[in-house]
Amino acid sequence: MTHLRQATPAAILLALLAGCTTTSTSEPVNITPAGNQQATADGSKVQAFMLRGTVVLGHESNSIQPCGSSKQYWLSTPLADRQALAAITHPGYAPMYGEFIGYLEPAPAKGFAADYDGRFQVKQINLISAEMSQGCAQLPHTTRAFGHEPGWVVEIDGDQANLLRPDNQRQQQAITDKHILTGQQRYQGEVFQLDLTKGRCNDTMSNSLFGWQANLRWEGNNYRGCATLGATDITLHWIGRYQGTSYSGGNPTLTTTVTLKPDHTATTRYDYPSGDPSTHETGFWQQVSDNSVQVVMTKHQGRRLISERRFVLDGDRITTREETVNGQTYSLGDNGLVLKKQ
C-alpha cells in the first residue's frame, strides 16, 4: 500500500477532489475491459459497475446506501482490504462516503445481511473517506490523481488533462493516447504521462482510502500519489419502465411491467385483465453486456424467491425466452417475454 505524507493541509486537496468541478463527467470510464466479466456466486457472468453512496461499517452493519436512494445493500469487501478499511473507520457507525466497483447478488437467507435489498460484492475500492461524508451532495467526479510534496491534482476531462496546484494557475494538456487494461490505465500527451495502477493508496492525514496508485510526469517533473476513476455509473442507460402484454386466443391475459431504477433496484408488477389482484416482486438489475441486462427478483409479495431473467435489447424493446426460479430454468414460450420501454 502507498501512504502519502502531507506537506500541505489535507483540507486543500480534499476540497479540490470534492469540489473543483461542478459538472458530471461524460468520460466513458472502462472499469472492466471488453469481455472481462465478473462471475457471481452461482457462476453467471455480469459486468462490474461503479456504485457510490453513504457507507456504514461495523460489526453488525456493513452497508452502502446509494446516492439519492433509500435502499441499502450489504457491502462485502475483499478480506485483503479490511484492515485498511478498519484503520480509517471511526467508532460508533459514523457514516462515510464511498465508491466501489463490483456487482450485486441476492442477500443471504440468514445473518446480518439478510434484511438488506441485496449484497454488493466489492471487486475494488475506488474511494472511501470519513471526511467526505457529504460526498453524495457532489456530482460524480472525473478520473483524478493527486499527491503532496508539492500538492497537486490532475483531472482527466474527456480528451484533456488538467493539472491543479495550490497557488498556481490551471495547466491543460491534450490527451493523444489512452491504454486501458485490467488493473492499469495510461493517459499520454505531448509533454505528460499519467499511469494508474490498481492498488490501495492511503492518505493518512485525511482518513481516506483510494483504490489506485498514480505516477505523473508533467513537463519533465515527476509526481507520485493516489487516484480514483471517474465515479459515473455508465450502465444507467438501462433505467426506465418496460411493459408488455401476453395474449391467448387474441385476448390479453397478463401485463408485465419491469422497472429498473438508478440505484440498481428493480420491480416487476403483474396485472391481470381478468380482474385478479396484481402481484409484485422486488429485486435488482445489472448489465451483462452492452445489449443485455440481468434482472433478479429476490422477493415475491414480500416473500423470498430468487428468479432471474436475462433480457436482450432490440431497439426500444427487451426480450427473454426463459426464466430461472430457485435454480430451475423454465421456458417462456416460443415468443418469450417482450417488453417495450415506456
Side-chain angles (χ1 to χ4, degrees):
M1 179 192 295
T2 296
H3 296 269
L4 294 184
R5 298 182 181 274
Q6 192 137 3
T8 57
I12 295 177
L13 285 171
L14 280 176
L16 287 173
L17 284 168
C20 61
T21 184
T22 58
T23 58
S24 172
T25 176
S26 59
E27 174 196 2
V29 177
N30 204 351
I31 294 173
T32 54
N36 186 3
Q37 295 178 309
Q38 306 297 324
T40 63
D42 63 1
S44 60
K45 302 286 186 178
V46 296
Q47 287 188 350
F49 63 93
M50 183 75 72
L51 184 66
R52 56 191 291 262
T54 300
V55 176
V56 175
L57 299 179
H59 174 60
E60 296 182 0
S61 176
N62 289 274
S63 66
I64 181 167
Q65 181 173 323
C67 293
S69 173
S70 61
K71 303 295 184 179
Q72 290 185 326
Y73 298 119
W74 181 265
L75 198 63
S76 293
T77 53
L79 184 61
D81 292 331
R82 292 178 188 174
Q83 184 175 355
L85 288 169
I88 66 166
T89 301
H90 292 171
Y93 299 100
M96 298 186 288
Y97 171 72
E99 300 167 359
F100 303 93
I101 299 167
Y103 58 89
L104 285 164
E105 292 183 342
K110 298 179 180 180
F112 293 136
D115 293 331
Y116 286 80
D117 296 289
R119 177 168 52 189
F120 190 77
Q121 294 284 357
V122 176
K123 300 300 293 182
Q124 185 181 352
I125 295 169
N126 194 49
L127 159 66
I128 183 167
S129 174
E131 295 191 6
M132 293 173 62
S133 60
Q134 300 302 313
C136 279
Q138 302 289 336
L139 293 174
H141 60 77
T142 63
T143 293
R144 295 174 178 172
F146 77 98
H148 311 294
E149 299 180 1
W152 61 276
V153 174
V154 64
E155 297 179 312
I156 303 300
D157 184 10
D159 291 327
Q160 300 288 331
N162 302 294
L163 178 65
L164 301 94
R165 290 175 291 183
D167 302 322
N168 284 271
Q169 290 186 336
R170 178 190 296 255
Q171 293 179 272
Q172 188 174 78
Q173 296 285 342
I175 298 172
T176 58
D177 196 16
K178 298 180 183 180
H179 295 278
I180 309 297
L181 302 172
T182 301
Q184 292 184 327
Q185 299 200 9
R186 172 174 290 179
Y187 302 86
Q188 289 179 287
E190 184 177 352
V191 290
F192 92 95
Q193 178 174 308
L194 174 65
D195 288 294
L196 307 182
T197 303
K198 179 180 177 181
R200 294 190 303 277
C201 193
N202 183 227
D203 181 355
T204 56
M205 297 298 291
S206 66
N207 286 327
S208 299
L209 183 66
F210 303 87
W212 295 79
Q213 300 170 11
N215 285 280
L216 173 67
R217 188 178 72 249
W218 189 282
E219 296 182 346
N221 297 312
N222 294 315
Y223 305 89
R224 296 184 63 188
C226 300
T228 61
L229 298 186
T232 298
D233 179 358
I234 63 171
T235 70
L236 292 184
H237 59 277
W238 289 102
I239 64 174
R241 188 165 62 96
Y242 302 81
Q243 190 175 85
T245 300
S246 302
Y247 292 84
S248 177
N251 297 315
T253 58
L254 175 67
T255 295
T256 303
T257 304
V258 173
T259 303
L260 309 182
K261 301 178 182 180
D263 59 4
H264 283 263
T265 60
T267 62
T268 302
R269 180 183 175 93
Y270 301 101
D271 293 298
Y272 303 90
S274 63
D276 291 340
S278 300
T279 56
H280 186 265
E281 296 175 342
T282 59
F284 60 82
W285 69 271
Q286 54 199 339
Q287 180 170 283
V288 177
S289 65
D290 289 344
N291 70 335
S292 60
V293 63
Q294 178 198 59
V295 180
V296 176
M297 295 291 106
T298 57
K299 289 185 179 179
H300 176 83
Q301 298 291 87
R303 296 183 178 181
R304 181 179 175 86
L305 180 139
I306 309 301
S307 67
E308 177 192 349
R309 292 169 175 161
R310 295 202 170 205
F311 292 93
V312 175
L313 183 65
D314 182 13
D316 62 350
R317 291 171 168 81
I318 56 174
T319 64
T320 185
R321 294 186 177 276
E322 61 184 26
E323 178 179 15
T324 300
V325 180
N326 290 338
Q328 183 68 42
T329 300
Y330 302 91
S331 172
L332 296 177
D334 294 338
N335 296 324
L337 178 63
V338 181
L339 307 177
K340 182 178 180 179
K341 192 168 188 179
Q342 303 300 295

